Amino acid sequence: MTREHQNDGAAAADAMVAEADTGARNPAGLQGRIIIATCIIWSIFQLYIASKLPGVLAQLTGFSDFANIVAQARFVHLAFAIVLATMAFPLLKSCPRDRIPFYDWGLLVLGVGACLYLIVFRYEIADRPGLWSPTDIAVSATGMVVLLISVYRSLGLPLVIIASTFVLFAFFGGNSEWVREITNYGGASLTKALGHYWMQTEGVFGVALGVSTTMIFLFVLFGALLDRAGGGNWFIKVAIALLGALRGGPAKASVLSSMMTGMISGSSIANTVTTGTFTIPLMKRIGFPAEKAGAVEVASSTNGQLTPPVMGAAAFLMVEYVNIPYIDVVKHAFLPAVISYIALLYIVHLESLKMGLKGLEKQGRKINVLMILILFLSGFIFLGLATFLMIGVRAALDPVMGDSIYAALAIVAALYLVLVAVAARYPDIEVDDPNAPVPQAPRLTPTLLGGAYYALPILILVWNLMVRTESLERLSPALSAFWATIFMIIIALTHRPLKAFFRKHDVLAETRKGWNDFVQGLIMGARNMIGIGVATGAAGIIVGTISLTGAHQVIGQVIEIISGGNLMVLLVLVALLSLILGMGLPTTANYIVVSSLMAPVIVTVGAQSGLVVPLIAVHMFVFYFGILADDTPPVGLAAYAAAAISRGDPIKTGVQGFGYDIRTALLPFLFIFNTDLLLIDVGPLKAVVVFFVALVAMLLFAAATQGYFIAKSRKWESALLLFIAFMLFRPDFFLDSVSEKYASATGPAAIELMGTQETGNDIRLIVSGPDFDTGDLRTTTVVVPAVAGNGETALSDQGLTVLPEGEQLLLEEPFPGTPHFEALGNEYDFYGDSPVEISLVQVENDRLPKEVFFLPAFLLMIGLMLIQRRRATQPAF
C-alpha cells in the first residue's frame, strides 16, 4: 500500500469518528469559534460542578444559586449536549457542513429553552407537582421533539425509533386488553405522559442522564486530556517496545495498546482509529492480510471498554442500577477482562504461527516470551499491588498527615517532578510514521521512562477509588475522576515546559504548546460527550415508559414465552437482542435499554429454574454483548473504521473480528453459571486458582476456535480441546452428574434441616404459589443465610414468617423493606385461594470438591500436547 493510500484510509477513519462521535460539521469563522467556545464552557462547567467551588462561592457571596446549580446540573448538561449536537452534526447528509443553517439556530433555541425552563421556573413547578400547565406541556413536547432530532443527528435513526415506540406504547398500550391484564395499565393522557417524561426526574432527566452529568463526562474528559497530552501515543509506543519484536509483534502490540487506551476511552471506534492508524499498517507490513489486521484492532479496541479500572460509560450506570460501589464493579470485571485479553494475545500468536510471521527489528536485547507474560500479568496487577503499597505508606504516614490533602499533594508533586526530570533525559515520544521504510520497535527503557509520568493520573484515580484507611475514606467515582482530571490538566499544561526547562530549551514555546494541548483536550472531551449526553437523555424516555406503564412486564412475558422458561435459551435471546440493538445504538444506550427490560426477567427465570443469578452477573452479561455489537456485521462501526485504514472489506473485517471475539462472547454465559469468574464470595487464594484454571481453559478454547494448538489440529483434537475447556470452566457440571448437590426436605423436617447448618451457610428455599398477575402456579428460589441450631430464626431474620400447617410451611406476605419483599411480596398473591408455601428446602451436601475434575482435564491436555508435538514443524513460541 502506498503512503498516499494509507493516509487516505486514516483520513476516512477520522471522518468516520467525526460522523459517529464528535460531529462532522466544522464551520469556519465565527460559527466555528462558537462551537469551540461551547465545548470549552461545557467542560469547565462540568469541572465546576464536580468541585467544591459552588459551595464555597455560595458561602462567600451569600448567593445560593452558586450551589443550587449543582442540583440543576443535569438540565444544563442536556442543554449543552443538544446545543453541540445541533451545531456539530448536520441534520441530513445533504445539509451544509461548512456553516450552521438558520433552522438549526431555531432548534437550538427551542432545545435550550425547554431545558432551562425547568431551572428558571423550578419553584413554580415544585408547587404544582403533577398538575402540569399548558405551558409545561408545550415545553415538554418541544423538548422531546428537539431531543429526538438531536439523537437522530448524532446517533442515527435506531434509537429514535426505539424511543418513539415506547412513547407510543405509553399513549396507546392501555388500549390492549392483553397489556391491561399483565400490567394493570390503562393508558396515559398527553398531559400525564409528557409531564412524566420531561417535568420530573422519572424520564429524560432520570438516573442515566444524572450519571452522565456527574460521572461519565469527567472520565471522558480525563481520557481526552490524557490522549491530547501524549498519553495515548505513549501507550502505543510502550506496547510496540514491549511486544513488537516477537512473532507477529505489531498485532500483539495492537492488543496491548488498545487495552491501555481503551481503559480511558469510551468509544470503540475512536480507540480503533487512535491505535489502528499506527498498528494496522505495521501488521500488514509483516504479513497480516488487510481483513485480519483490521479484525485484530477491532477485537482489541472493543474489549478496551471491559478493562478496569476505567471502563466504558455503561459501567458507571451499573453503580446506580445494581446499587453497588464502583470498586465492586471493578472487582467483578477484573478477571474476565484479564482472561479475555491474554486469550486474544494467544489468538494473535496462533495466527502468526499459522502464517509463519516474524516481528519487527529491534535494537538491543530482546525479551523472551516468559518475561513478556510476566510483564503482561504484572501490568494488570501493578495497580493492585501499588494500591496495597500505597495503603501501607498512607497508614504509616497517618499520624503525620491525618486527612490533610496538602501533604498528599506535596508527595504527588515531588514524584511528578522527578519523573519529568527523568523523562527529559530521553528524546520526546513522537508519533512515528507507520509507513517508514524500515520500521523498528523502539527500546523499552527510554520509551517507558520517557512518559512514565502519564501513569500518575491513573494511579491517582485508582488511589481515590480503592484506597481506604482509618482516616481516609474512598472517594466516589465522580470525585475520583475530578481529582485525576485536575492532575491531568496540570500535566497537560506543564510537562512540556518542565522538560524544556530541564533540557535548557525554549520554555515559552513549549508552554504555548502545553496550553494548546489543554484547550484541545477540553474541546475533544466535550465533543466526545455529545452522543453520550443525548443518548442517556433518550434512554431516559425508555426507562420512564417502563416506570409509567410496566412495559418490561409485557416484553418480559413475551421473551419468557419464546424461551419456554429455559434460562439458556433466554440468555441466547438476550445476547442476540443486545447485538441487534447495538448495531444502531451506542453501548451506553444499548445497556440501558436491554438491562432495564431484561435484567429482571433473567433473574426471575433463573430463580424459577433453581439458579439464583446475582444481579451484577446479569448486568455484566448485557454490558459485554452491548460492547461486542461494535464489531458485529453488517453494521459494526469499529469494523468499518478499521477497514478504512486497512483498505480491507468491512464486512469480512467484522466477521473476522467477531470470530476473534467469540472468546469474549463465551465469558458472559460462563459467569452466569459460574460466578467465581466474577470473584463473587471468592477469597484471595481461591481467586488465584480460579484465575489460573480459567486462563488455561480460555487459551484451550481459543486454540480450538483457531484450529491450531502445538500444531494444526484435526477436527477431533479441536473437539477435545473444547471438551477440556468445558471441564475446566464448569467442573461442577460433572460433579453434579455423580453426586447430589443438595439435601432436600419438606414441611417441619425442612425447619430441622435448616437448623443443622452452620451460621452463614446458604439455605435455598423453593417457594411456590399463585402469580400475582395471572393467578397461575409458579415457583421461585430464594437464598437465606443459616442460623446454627434454629431454622425459624434464619427465616425471621430475613423478614419471612412461616405458619406450619400439617406437612405444609405456609408463608405470610413479607413486609416492604425486608430482604425478599421484591422477589416474593410483589410477585405472589398471598390472599388468593391457593396458599403461598415453602415447598422445598435445600442445603448443600458435604461432597468432593469440584476441583477434582481439573486433574483429568489437565491429563487430557498433556496427552494432546504430546500427540501434536510429533507433528509440530516450528516452536510453539
Side-chain angles (χ1 to χ4, degrees), residues 103-118:
Y103 53 82
D104 280 347
W105 290 109
L107 287 172
L108 185 153
V109 171
L110 289 174
V112 172
C115 293
L116 299 188
Y117 176 85
L118 298 170

Side-chain angles (χ1 to χ4, degrees), residues 707-728:
Y708 197 101
F709 187 34
I710 305 299
K712 184 177 180 180
S713 298
R714 299 187 174 104
K715 290 182 178 180
W716 70 268
E717 292 173 333
S718 294
L720 182 58
L721 285 171
L722 290 174
F723 178 73
I724 298 170
F726 182 76
M727 288 184 71
L728 295 175

Side-chain angles (χ1 to χ4, degrees), residues 617 620-621 624-625 663-673:
M620 289 289 292
F621 183 95
Y624 263 62
F625 279 101
R663 81 206 186 283
T664 307
L666 174 70
L667 281 169
F669 288 96
L670 292 172
F671 58 58
I672 288 288
F673 294 97

Side-chain angles (χ1 to χ4, degrees), residues 136-213:
D136 294 339
I137 301 309
V139 168
S140 300
T142 302
M144 293 274 288
V145 170
V146 175
L147 172 61
L148 291 176
I149 292 174
S150 299
V151 171
Y152 172 69
R153 291 171 179 275
S154 54
L155 302 172
L157 201 55
L159 184 54
V160 176
I161 293 174
I162 294 171
S164 300
T165 302
F166 275 82
V167 171
L168 292 174
F169 182 88
F171 286 131
F172 304 110
N175 296 337
S176 167
E177 183 178 347
W178 179 56
V179 170
R180 288 199 301 272
E181 287 179 357
I182 296 175
T183 64
N184 296 319
Y185 174 66
S189 65
L190 182 69
T191 300
K192 180 180 179 181
L194 288 177
H196 184 81
Y197 286 132
W198 194 266
M199 301 303 295
Q200 52 194 27
T201 55
E202 296 289 332
V204 171
F205 300 101
V207 170
L209 191 66
V211 173
S212 177
T213 304

Side-chain angles (χ1 to χ4, degrees), residues 241-243 245-246 362 364-375 444-445:
L242 187 64
L243 304 176
L246 296 178
K362 181 179 180 180
R365 185 175 55 186
K366 294 185 179 180
I367 305 175
N368 60 41
V369 174
L370 179 61
M371 183 57 66
I372 291 293
L373 180 62
I374 294 172
L375 289 173
L444 178 60
T445 300

Side-chain angles (χ1 to χ4, degrees), residues 521-582:
L522 294 179
I523 295 169
M524 290 309 300
R527 296 194 74 140
N528 289 339
M529 271 300 300
I530 298 172
I532 296 175
V534 296
T536 50
I541 296 175
I542 297 164
V543 176
T545 302
I546 291 172
S547 65
L548 178 67
T549 67
H552 65 290
Q553 298 177 37
V554 177
I555 297 172
Q557 187 172 76
V558 171
I559 297 293
E560 281 189 64
I561 292 172
I562 295 173
S563 66
N566 184 296
L567 181 60
M568 180 57 74
V569 175
L570 175 63
L571 291 173
V572 171
L573 291 174
V574 172
L576 291 174
L577 178 64
S578 296
L579 292 174
I580 292 169
L581 290 180

